[in-house]
Amino acid sequence: MEVKITENINAVIIKLQGELMLGFEANDFQEAIRNCIEKNKKNVIVDLSALNFISSWGIGMLIHGYTTAQNSGTSFKLAAVPDMINETFRKIKINNIFQQFDSVEDALRN
Amino acid sequence: MNRKKGKEEKRILQLENKRKTEELNQARKLQLSMLPKDIPSLSNLDIAVYMKTATEVGGDYYDFHKSDDNTITAVIGDATGHGLNAGMLVSVTKGLFKNLAKQTFVNNIFSQFNESIHSLNIQPMYMSLHLLQIKGNQMQVIGAGMPPMLYYQSSTGSVVEIESSGPPLGGFRNFKYEKCDYKLMPGDVLVVMTDGFAERRNNAKEILSGIKHQTSDQIIEQFVEANDNWGEGNPQDDDITFVVIKVK
C-alpha cells in the first residue's frame, strides 16, 4: 500500500495505491489531512483509482479522515472509486456518506 | 569505535524488537481472553464457532448471551484496526455487550453501542458488528459495517444476503441503525463472518447450497477448507471468524 500526496492551491490530493489493509499507512494519511486543515485548504481529495482492496481497517481510516475534515469545515471527497470498492461501501451503507466524483479533476471543479 | 557503536545499536534494536513482540503477544492474549469459554446450548439451535487469528493482532470478537427464557443474543464483530487499540476496543465492546444483551429492542442496543464507542474518541478505531437475537423461531438482526450475513432458507433452498444497515459503530453519532425481522424454519442456516473471509463470499454461497444434512461444525470445516485452498499457503493478513447457527 502506497500513499502519494500532492497539493495545489485549494486542495490536498491523497492517492491510495494497492491494498488498504494493515494500517501502517494511517500516519501518512492522517498527517496529510492535518496539513490540509492547518494550511486552510478547502478540500481533501482521496484518489482511489489505484486501490485494489479495502479492509475494515481501511474503511475506519476513511471515516476518520471524513469526520476530521468535516469537523474543521474542510470538504472530504472521494475520486475515481473502483466498482468493487464502491460495492463494499454500498454493502455497509457508507456510499452515501462520502461525496464521490468520477475523477480528481471533477472533484477539484466541484 | 564505529564497530562498538554498531554493536550497541544492534543491541538496542534487538531489545526494541523483543519489547514489541512481547506487546503483540499481550495484545493477542487480551483479544483471546475476551472470547466466551463456552458456546450456549439450546434445544432448537446448533451453534458452532471458528476463529483463526492473523499474525498481526487483529480485532475479531464474538460473544453470546442466553436469557432465562432461552432468548439467545449473539454478536460477531471486528475492530477496524490492529494491535493494542483493537484489543482495547474489543474489551470495551464486550463490556457493553454484557450490560446491553438483556435488552430486547435491538435498535436501542445498537444506538447505545454507537453512542458509547463514539464517545470514547479513540479514532480511527471503530467496531463493525452483527447482532442476532433469537427467541423461539423469531429472529432480529442488526448490523454495522459488516460483510453481509448469509441466510440459507431451507424452505426454498436459496441463500439470501442480510446486509448491515449502517457504517461501523462509533463513526457517526446519532446514526439510526434499523433491524430486520425473520421467521426461522427447521433446517435454516445462518453464517455470520468477519471481513477476513470477504474474498470468499461466492465460495461461501456455493458451500451453503449443499448443507442440508450437515451440522454447524461440518459446515465450518468446509469453509475452512475452501479458505485454505484459496489462500494457497499465503500468509493470512486479518483474523477470520465465523459463527454458524443451524435451526434444528
Side-chain angles (χ1 to χ4, degrees), chain B residues 98-165:
Chain B
K98 288 291 163 207
N99 281 302
L100 299 171
K102 288 173 197 158
Q103 295 186 22
T104 53
F105 193 50
V106 299
N107 288 10
N108 274 355
I109 298 178
F110 250 44
S111 292
Q112 290 172 76
F113 263 122
N114 190 41
E115 183 66 30
S116 302
I117 293 172
H118 187 274
S119 67
L120 288 173
N121 206 18
I122 47 170
Q123 293 167 341
M125 300 296 298
Y126 307 100
M127 192 75 198
S128 296
L129 199 74
H130 251 132
L131 183 146
L132 297 79
Q133 195 166 73
I134 302 173
K135 184 178 184 181
N137 64 354
Q138 299 297 318
M139 175 175 72
Q140 300 182 76
V141 177
I142 192 161
M146 285 282 283
M149 184 179 131
L150 301 176
Y151 176 22
Y152 169 77
Q153 295 175 313
S154 59
S155 58
T156 58
S158 59
V159 180
V160 296
E161 291 189 341
I162 303 178
E163 295 184 354
S164 292
S165 69

Side-chain angles (χ1 to χ4, degrees), chain B residues 33-51:
Chain B
S33 73
M34 294 294 121
L35 304 176
K37 301 284 175 286
D38 301 303
I39 304 302
S41 166
L42 284 105
S43 60
N44 62 329
L45 299 174
D46 169 23
I47 303 174
V49 171
Y50 171 84
M51 179 189 271

Side-chain angles (χ1 to χ4, degrees), chain B residues 207-240:
Chain B
I207 289 167
L208 269 181
S209 59
I211 44 78
K212 262 186 196 167
H213 305 293
Q214 293 175 334
T215 64
S216 294
D217 276 322
Q218 288 167 334
I219 295 166
I220 280 181
E221 270 176 39
Q222 285 201 50
F223 278 115
V224 173
E225 196 184 326
N227 187 294
D228 288 343
N229 289 341
W230 185 275
E232 292 178 332
N234 286 312
Q236 181 191 324
D237 291 321
D238 200 357
D239 292 351
I240 294 174

